[in-house]
Amino acid sequence: MNTANSFENFFVWQKSRELVKLIYFLTKKSEFSRDFGLIDQIRRAAASIISNIAEGFERGGRYEIVHFFFIAKASCGEVRAQLYIALD
């Protein structure tokens, strides 16, 4: 059913991986040093994006892929909202 051989071949997964790396890099900076709750939440939300893309793919069915991609999209919104919190 999947045309890709692995979830690593999805462009969206590759970009999500870059986002997770960037989030971890940014949250190590001194501006985040005392806000442990925000650091934890933004890291978990970013990791959820990449994880849900992989899980949806590995489940194999079209419904599962779409379902987990929607969950990943929701986690993208969560990351965006947390970035606004950090900015403010």
Side-chain angles (χ1 to χ4, degrees), residues 53-65:
I53 293 168
E55 185 173 353
F57 177 85
E58 292 298 335
R59 287 183 178 243
R62 181 174 294 176
Y63 170 80
E64 288 86 358
I65 290 172

Side-chain angles (χ1 to χ4, degrees), residues 24-55:
Y24 270 79
F25 173 77
L26 291 173
T27 55
K28 288 179 184 176
K29 294 191 172 280
S30 63
E31 294 84 359
F32 281 95
S33 65
R34 291 201 171 116
D35 200 338
F36 301 112
L38 182 59
I39 290 169
D40 181 59
Q41 188 67 24
I42 196 168
R43 285 179 175 179
R44 286 189 295 116
S48 180
I49 298 166
I50 193 172
S51 298
N52 278 297
I53 293 168
E55 185 173 353

Side-chain angles (χ1 to χ4, degrees), residues 38 41-43 45-46 77-87:
L38 182 59
Q41 188 67 24
I42 196 168
R43 285 179 175 179
E78 186 177 354
V79 170
R80 282 196 332 265
Q82 292 160 358
L83 290 172
Y84 281 116
I85 292 168
L87 182 64

